[in-house]
Amino acid sequence: MDLQDAGMGTKCVQAGYTPENGGPRQIPIIQSTTFKYDTSEDMGKLFDLEASGYFYSRLQNPTCDYVAAKIAAMEGGTAGMLTSSGQAANFFALFNICSVGDHIVASSSIYGGTYNLIKTTMAKMGIESTFVSPDASEEELSAAFRNNTKVLFGESIANPALTVLDIEKFAKVAHAHGVPLIVDNTFPTPVNLRPIEWGADIVTHSTTKYMDGHGVHVGGAIVDSGKFDWMAHKDKFPGLTTPDESYHGIVYAEKFGKEGAFITKATSQLMRDFGSVASPQSAFYLNMGLESLHVRMPRHVENGQAVAEFLEGQPLVTHVNYPGLPSSPYYEVAKKYMPKGGCGVVSFELKGGRKTAENFMKHLKLAAIETHVADARTCCLNPATSTHRQMNDEELAAAGVPAGMIRISCGLEDKEDLIADLKQALDAAAKA
């Protein structure tokens, strides 16, 4: 059976690695920094990108490649790679096609760390950016583009805003301007959404989240759809369409085609020079999580939906943000792209602001206070007293993170127990 045609559950369990006769059934952990060859000529072919294989684990490692191939199959892409974190994955995906003097257009509703990466850190590299609302019209999106724009970026479900990206709209505008669309698909995972099927060209992940699902590793992944024609826009992407003198004049788009050019360049250039490599042990842990992802995601969605519906009826709660609620402005677009549901993350605001939020958090028993989401265990955070505690209430409101906001990531516990825990914490906060 061709696994490309298999269902998602089969891909989660079996894609990426096929044991040889008498070989290990589980993906082996190749815990080695280097690989031996009989002759210098054999190794030289690897350095010239004339042969496939491994010579140093800072660039590639068999364990990592098995897992990357599985994620690529799950997303419906042609090639993939692992990185040391989701931040590294987004940086590599962007920097692989951007350089000094270039410009990025990105959704304004993305993870704060990614926003800072694009707006501040990449600006120091001479790469400018413009941020647009995820709700922008095609005309408003187009107006943000410049002659030097090289990419459009967004998150399928934004962390923590929970806005839902209209992927088809963003892809249409990106392609009209001759650039790829990169979508961070961390929250839905390919179990609930495959952005490539809706026009995305590159997909990234923080594999630390649902893909791992158990809080045991930090990692990221990049998947190429293999559909964007780099040579058709040769002048825009010289890094892929002109000779790379650091590899004897190879032209990636010519030698590796649409299917392999992007990931090959990211590996041979960026991983070589930046070294944000995933460890074989982390890749092994990630694969263990992937094998159950198709079973876990429906439970996360079920719990998230139940908690959101419960919270919406509570007198202490002023607002609940969850795309699965009919009251959400993203309800219809979420149904279009994610008919099985999106994720288990819910945010809500409490009356009384920071003080009420602090009292509520103190009384939680099942939900752990953590700077984390998308875990098997329910975790909860009040940004005003943790990640954003350097801001006053006015600054928090301006940033769209009011002092009374709570973010809860619903795990795999019984939903009745989660609701009971939230109820007793809300009751206690109301009396304080």
Side-chain angles (χ1 to χ4, degrees):
M1 179 182 182
D2 187 351
L3 284 177
Q4 281 298 110
D5 300 322
M8 183 57 67
T10 303
K11 288 177 180 176
C12 285
V13 175
Q14 295 211 19
Y17 170 71
T18 302
E20 297 178 353
N21 187 37
R25 182 63 192 89
Q26 180 56 277
I27 288 177
I29 304 172
I30 309 299
Q31 194 68 49
S32 180
T33 59
T34 53
F35 301 83
K36 175 194 174 292
Y37 288 88
D38 292 336
T39 68
S40 295
E41 288 78 11
D42 289 338
M43 184 173 284
K45 291 177 182 177
L46 300 176
F47 277 89
D48 289 344
L49 302 181
E50 294 294 335
S52 60
Y54 303 92
F55 54 86
Y56 195 54
S57 282
R58 190 181 79 233
L59 277 86
Q60 286 181 287
N61 174 280
T63 307
C64 297
D65 280 359
Y66 292 141
V67 181
K70 173 177 283 191
I71 295 173
M74 291 165 63
E75 283 286 9
T78 58
M81 66 185 292
L82 299 187
T83 61
S84 58
S85 69
Q87 276 291 84
N90 280 332
F91 173 64
F92 277 21
L94 292 165
F95 198 60
N96 204 35
I97 49 179
C98 295
S99 59
V100 174
D102 288 340
H103 176 248
I104 295 169
V105 177
S107 168
S108 59
S109 185
I110 56 177
Y111 169 58
T114 308
Y115 183 93
N116 190 72
L117 166 69
I118 295 171
K119 182 175 177 59
T120 305
T121 303
M122 296 189 77
K124 296 176 182 177
M125 301 175 177
I127 301 169
E128 297 182 328
S129 56
T130 300
F131 291 89
V132 293
S133 167
D135 307 324
S137 67
E138 289 182 22
E139 293 74 20
E140 289 169 330
L141 282 175
S142 289
F145 278 72
R146 306 175 185 171
N147 291 333
N148 60 338
T149 301
K150 298 301 176 67
V151 64
L152 180 57
F153 178 88
E155 292 181 5
S156 50
I157 299 180
N159 174 20
L162 301 180
T163 56
V164 179
L165 194 73
D166 189 339
I167 299 171
E168 279 192 318
K169 178 177 67 177
F170 270 63
K172 180 181 178 181
V173 174
H175 297 158
H177 289 271
V179 306
L181 171 63
I182 298 178
V183 174
D184 184 327
N185 196 37
T186 295
F187 270 10
T189 81
V191 171
N192 288 336
L193 172 63
R194 304 214 302 175
I196 290 170
E197 294 178 350
W198 298 96
D201 301 289
I202 311 292
V203 175
T204 61
H205 286 275
S206 169
T207 59
T208 316
K209 309 303 191 300
Y210 285 119
M211 283 187 164
D212 168 343
H214 300 85
V216 296
H217 100 292
V218 174
I222 308 171
V223 174
D224 183 9
S225 70
K227 295 180 179 180
F228 192 84
D229 191 344
W230 305 105
M231 293 302 292
H233 308 282
K234 186 175 181 178
D235 293 341
K236 281 185 177 289
F237 306 104
L240 285 156
T241 61
T242 61
D244 178 3
E245 298 306 326
S246 70
Y247 274 107
H248 310 290
I250 281 176
V251 178
Y252 294 99
E254 289 181 351
K255 186 172 182 61
F256 301 101
K258 291 188 294 183
E259 295 79 13
F262 186 88
I263 294 296
T264 302
K265 178 179 180 293
T267 302
S268 57
Q269 278 188 1
L270 303 187
M271 194 63 82
R272 174 196 65 189
D273 295 342
F274 289 100
S276 301
V277 64
S279 76
Q281 189 75 44
S282 290
F284 179 83
Y285 290 141
L286 169 58
N287 185 63
M288 296 295 284
L290 290 172
E291 289 182 350
S292 65
L293 185 64
H294 62 296
V295 179
R296 291 185 285 110
M297 285 307 294
R299 181 60 173 260
H300 284 295
V301 170
E302 177 187 349
N303 284 355
Q305 185 72 32
V307 163
E309 291 174 358
F310 162 76
L311 288 168
E312 204 166 40
Q314 298 305 299
L316 198 63
V317 176
T318 63
H319 175 72
V320 181
N321 191 15
Y322 186 71
L325 292 175
S327 59
S328 169
Y330 299 98
Y331 180 69
E332 292 299 329
V333 71
K335 282 203 305 181
K336 171 183 174 179
Y337 292 113
M338 297 168 285
K340 295 184 292 185
C343 65
V345 181
V346 181
S347 65
F348 58 100
E349 187 177 354
L350 296 176
K351 295 176 183 176
R354 188 187 303 258
K355 182 177 180 181
T356 303
E358 287 179 336
N359 284 323
F360 168 80
M361 298 287 284
K362 286 177 183 177
H363 288 91
L364 289 171
K365 296 177 180 177
L366 276 181
I369 300 174
E370 299 176 15
T371 311
H372 192 43
V373 288
D375 199 326
R377 304 161 196 82
T378 294
C379 45
C380 207
L381 193 72
N382 170 226
T385 55
S386 54
T387 55
H388 293 62
R389 69 178 297 123
Q390 74 279 8
M391 296 181 177
N392 60 38
D393 288 2
E394 290 73 23
E395 291 170 331
L396 287 166
V401 187
M405 176 183 281
I406 304 290
R407 183 189 69 188
I408 183 167
S409 174
C410 300
L412 302 179
E413 303 91 346
D414 292 331
K415 60 187 176 184
E416 295 82 4
D417 293 330
L418 294 180
I419 290 171
D421 188 31
L422 292 171
K423 187 176 187 312
Q424 63 84 25
L426 287 168
D427 289 345
K431 295 175 183 176

